[in-house]
Amino acid sequence: GDDYLILAAHRLLPNTNSERYENGPTIIRAILVVEAGLAQSPFNFHLKLLLIRLYTTIGAVGRAFDLWSTLDVKHIQIATLGHLVVRPVFHLGYFKQWTELAAVFRRLWLECERDIPESVSRAFFEGSINAAVEFIEFRSNLERSAISVDVLLCDALQCICSGLEDAGALEAAWNTVGDYCRLSPAWLIPPRKL
């Protein structure tokens, strides 16, 4: 029956995409329908994802973040599901939740930086060239993902706006950006023509 609740919630919303999330009372009705379903099926991630979308639409980011936290998002899912909460949490000023999110993304990046070279080396040693290429592609995709850059820039912006003196804030922002090797000073220097 959960799928019918999702259909009912979508039916409550306006048909056109331009008006879809503009009408507050219809969004509230859709939320009530989906919350009733979630009370009966507390592990249904489809219901949680729809609720996250609806709650962020009306600015109830605290509830959306709580639901996102119950999804037990790990590893690559952080990059694929983080977009649901990253911008609303940061832009609406939920800085306690933002600190948790930024730490999760930073941990993912640092684990990737630490583990990928070893995994590639082990794959070559075992003779699995395809696995080595997949590890390298994963790192490259994570490095170029929009959500990773978004988190990086928001984290640097928070450092700048955190109330530190100018030099301290800029140094904290630079250190945040420096965690990503592709944004290190050597990478940022443009190549010189001969």
Side-chain angles (χ1 to χ4, degrees), residues 9-183:
H10 281 288
R11 183 72 178 125
L12 287 171
L13 298 171
N15 291 330
T16 62
N17 284 335
S18 63
E19 303 172 350
R20 189 155 183 95
Y21 297 107
E22 291 177 3
N23 192 340
T26 59
I27 294 172
I28 302 283
R29 281 188 226 116
I31 287 173
L32 291 173
V33 167
V34 181
E35 282 284 5
L38 189 62
Q40 299 301 315
S41 298
F43 301 107
N44 187 324
F45 71 93
H46 293 288
L47 296 175
K48 291 179 182 181
L49 291 175
L50 179 58
L51 280 171
I52 290 169
R53 182 76 170 204
L54 293 170
Y55 277 124
T56 56
T57 301
I58 63 171
V61 177
R63 175 69 175 141
F65 181 79
D66 292 343
L67 286 167
W68 189 83
S69 297
T70 65
L71 289 173
D72 198 27
V73 176
K74 294 179 182 148
H75 306 297
I76 191 60
Q77 293 174 335
I78 295 167
T80 58
L81 293 174
H83 73 280
L84 295 170
V85 290
V86 164
R87 281 184 178 245
V89 164
F90 183 78
H91 291 298
L92 292 177
Y94 287 79
F95 292 117
K96 179 180 181 271
Q97 291 87 345
W98 172 255
T99 304
E100 292 175 35
L101 273 175
V104 166
F105 276 91
R106 196 175 300 110
R107 192 175 323 113
L108 171 67
W109 178 255
L110 293 175
E111 286 174 3
C112 179
E113 282 288 294
R114 182 192 68 218
D115 296 342
I116 293 292
E118 180 183 330
S119 299
V120 169
S121 176
R122 195 169 347 147
F124 275 125
F125 181 75
E126 296 291 329
S128 179
I129 296 173
N130 288 342
V133 171
E134 287 176 5
F135 284 124
I136 293 169
E137 285 180 355
F138 169 76
R139 183 187 180 285
S140 177
N141 289 339
L142 182 62
E143 186 179 69
R144 290 179 310 186
S145 73
I147 192 68
S148 293
V149 173
D150 204 13
V151 168
L152 168 72
L153 295 177
C154 288
D155 208 18
L157 184 61
Q158 183 187 10
C159 289
I160 291 172
C161 298
S162 65
L164 298 171
E165 70 278 355
D166 290 342
L170 289 176
E171 183 177 345
W174 182 253
N175 290 339
T176 299
V177 173
D179 284 344
Y180 289 76
C181 67
R182 72 183 182 129
L183 296 175

